[in-house]
Amino acid sequence: MLDVIIIGAGQAGLSMGFFLKQQEVSFLLLDAGERVGDSWRKRYDSLILFTPKSYSALPGLAFEGDQDAFPSKGEMADYLETYAEHFSLPIQLRTHVQKVQQVDMGFKVVTNKEILYSKQIVIASGAFQAPFLPPASQQYSKDVFQIHSSAYIWPKQIPEGPVLVVGGGNSGAQIATELAEDREVTIAISHPFKFFPLHFLGKSIFFWLEILGFLYAGIDTKRGVWFRKKGDRIFGVECRNLIRSGKVRVKSRVVDVQGERTIFQDGSSMDVKNIIWSTGFVPDYKWLEVNGALDEKGEPLHYRGVSPVEGLFFIGLPWQRQRGSALVCGVGRDAEYLLSFIKDALRKAEIDSLEKYIV
């Protein structure tokens, strides 16, 4: 029986592995990818992180190169692979977790390869799990090309003609910006855009967010509560500039569909041939068969990553403990925080095991 199994070897899992490596515990990271970093490699070709390299590194290993430069998806993927090799983290790739169950003195993890047992489980599978497609997507004519942003790779996979991007997050804004180079683009949003420049007074916007106490603002602090209520920002102003120039049109939320016609909340409508749904993701923890681990919506039950189920932890969730919890720059802080709980849980498990043996 292992001391800890970490499910997911992305930035969250690797950060947790870094801190566990410094302890006298046995642990293993499980990941479905062919290589460490594949979750980044499979994203759209033009993806550039909005955090500079100085804010895109994990604990203990700096990102090589100009610290003010913004890494591409490939650079991020390669950095994670290098990180795992640098610290000799025990990782089992091409491993799909099919079931996790609570058993006597720990957990049973069923994979496509074998059955493993562990005293503790850290779920680092990330916030981006099952792509969400709204019910309206089922109402379009079969002649309308539809794709979720998670499956978007480059412009040439989209048939010729105008494109409607539904969703106003960072991915939606970046994809709309890329497509607007040679075609008509409309973006439908449910809330007004809020743009942040990538630089301010010669410094990264993340430098200023850290200086002002927002980047790592805790979920229970006044600053954190206020900042969270403000909603997500779009980092970079390229999309804003295209909107102002008229190259990207903005529509309100999609409320109805009739064949090829899309109807928006403001009462306007338009015919569409191509749609990219940048509508986010929903949790997918069907494999987590542990009572008390999830709420009625199937979302993790936890406080700062600590589950009410003894020995079960989460990491990498948005606003898990602080603003940066789902960012590469912040996930290491949460891993270090969870380490003390994991060590305490392991000590308790050892005592319980000893008492059971003596009895």
Side-chain angles (χ1 to χ4, degrees), residues 24 46 83 90 125 127 144 146 163 169 218 220 250 266 298 301 310 312:
E24 293 183 358
S46 63
Y83 188 90
S125 53
V144 176
Q146 301 185 65
V163 178
D220 298 326
V250 178
D266 62 5
L301 281 171
E310 189 173 337
L312 179 64

Side-chain angles (χ1 to χ4, degrees), residues 204-276:
S204 165
I205 191 65
F206 286 89
F207 168 84
W208 296 110
L209 289 174
E210 183 177 12
I211 290 295
L212 296 173
F214 289 115
L215 183 55
Y216 305 116
I219 56 173
D220 298 326
T221 65
K222 289 183 179 179
R223 190 167 290 162
V225 171
W226 178 85
F227 196 53
R228 190 173 186 179
K229 286 181 179 179
K230 293 297 179 180
D232 292 335
R233 267 67 169 174
I234 305 300
F235 290 95
V237 297
E238 292 83 2
C239 187
R240 183 196 66 183
N241 294 339
L242 291 174
I243 291 170
R244 289 178 174 178
S245 68
K247 291 185 177 180
V248 172
R249 296 192 301 166
V250 178
K251 287 287 188 179
S252 56
R253 184 169 62 91
V254 175
V255 295
D256 197 12
V257 172
Q258 297 175 359
E260 296 182 5
R261 180 157 289 269
T262 301
I263 301 166
F264 303 98
Q265 191 173 31
D266 62 5
S268 63
S269 63
M270 63 179 289
D271 288 335
V272 297
K273 286 291 187 181
N274 302 305
I275 299 178
I276 298 176

Side-chain angles (χ1 to χ4, degrees), residues 283-350:
D284 185 9
Y285 294 98
K286 296 183 182 69
W287 46 269
L288 184 57
E289 300 179 3
V290 177
N291 291 333
L294 306 173
D295 64 16
E296 63 279 0
K297 296 180 181 178
E299 297 183 358
L301 281 171
H302 70 94
Y303 179 68
R304 299 187 175 187
V306 181
S307 166
V309 178
E310 189 173 337
L312 179 64
F313 305 91
F314 295 90
I315 189 169
L317 301 174
W319 284 97
Q320 174 173 305
R321 192 175 72 91
Q322 36 88 16
R323 169 60 185 93
S325 287
L327 299 177
V328 180
C329 60
V331 72
R333 293 172 177 242
D334 288 0
E336 187 173 20
Y337 171 81
L338 289 178
L339 181 64
S340 62
F341 290 90
I342 293 172
K343 290 168 63 178
D344 288 345
L346 287 172
R347 281 193 291 267
K348 184 178 185 304
E350 289 176 0

